[in-house]
Amino acid sequence: MTRRSAEAIAVLIRKGWNVHHPPYGYTTMTEAGVQSRRGTPRTRLTPNPRHAAVVQDIFYWREVTGLSVEHLTARVDADPGRYPPPGIHTAWPPAAVIAVLTNIKYADYQPTGTRDEHGAFGPVEQRVPSDQPVHRALITSALFWAAQNPTTSMQQIPHHLVRRGHRGGGPVTEKANVGCSRKELT
């Protein structure tokens, strides 16, 4: 990807447009009258009712019980009717659970700069969130950050990462630090 196209995608993401496949727990909603240069409609994320509850459960179990990725995977695999696996999988792979736990989109921000030029996840410092919340959150920002380290309770999150006043008074993360490495989760 060229630098110019990467900058154009970053501008779209900062404005809240979804430019990738929706993550598990969301589907896309087309905005009427808004199109790309190619004529394809622009989309935003909207919760998928069946899968959104699964995402919420995974974060809750991670933060409240401190379950490891392996235990979370076993728990969702135990009841595929209640916790349907993502995509075409017949069971939850651990990588899918990690993908849920590391995706800031669930706290209603659209990040950019998450992958490097080879498609691998890039450093956290290079991730840039949208200017403001852009879609309905499935979890609070405080729960997202607490789930990054299951030994940390919601009360122990550094105060500078959480502020009040977001949709009904819930917590919101500051724009710095929008994720953690996948290696820190296992």
Side-chain angles (χ1 to χ4, degrees):
M1 177 183 306
T2 67
R3 179 182 161 115
R4 186 174 171 189
S5 63
E7 289 172 357
I9 289 173
V11 167
L12 290 172
I13 289 172
R14 285 189 197 104
K15 291 180 179 179
W17 295 110
N18 183 57
V19 295
H20 302 292
H21 184 75
Y24 185 87
Y26 283 105
T27 187
T28 55
M29 171 181 64
T30 302
E31 293 270 332
V34 182
Q35 296 181 343
S36 71
R37 288 185 208 171
R38 290 188 221 147
T40 57
R42 297 250 185 249
T43 61
R44 295 196 189 272
L45 295 176
T46 187
N48 175 325
R50 184 165 184 220
H51 298 156
V54 178
V55 171
Q56 293 165 339
D57 286 348
I58 289 171
F59 274 96
Y60 177 80
W61 294 330
R62 176 70 171 195
E63 197 282 328
V64 173
T65 64
L67 290 176
S68 68
V69 170
E70 292 78 21
H71 287 104
L72 290 168
T73 303
R75 187 172 271 193
V76 292
D77 269 343
D79 191 353
R82 184 171 181 185
Y83 307 110
I88 59 170
H89 296 286
T90 57
W92 276 83
V97 173
I98 291 170
V100 167
L101 290 170
T102 58
N103 197 334
I104 190 73
K105 287 183 182 183
Y106 297 119
D108 82 3
Y109 284 88
Q110 282 282 60
T112 185
T114 57
R115 295 181 184 264
D116 66 14
E117 63 274 4
H118 305 293
F121 281 92
V124 173
E125 308 82 48
Q126 293 179 3
R127 297 181 185 181
V128 179
S130 54
D131 294 334
Q132 58 189 347
V134 294
H135 53 263
R136 187 167 154 222
L138 300 184
I139 58 165
T140 65
S141 296
L143 181 57
F144 175 82
W145 290 111
Q148 304 312 300
N149 180 358
T151 60
T152 304
S153 75
M154 299 266 288
Q155 291 76 29
Q156 295 173 331
I157 297 173
H159 186 67
H160 72 279
L161 294 179
V162 180
R163 64 179 162 83
R164 294 272 170 203
H166 165 66
R167 294 186 189 162
V172 175
T173 59
E174 293 296 329
K175 286 177 132 180
N177 305 326
V178 290
C180 70
S181 74
R182 290 169 182 260
K183 290 180 183 176
E184 293 171 353
L185 288 174
T186 54

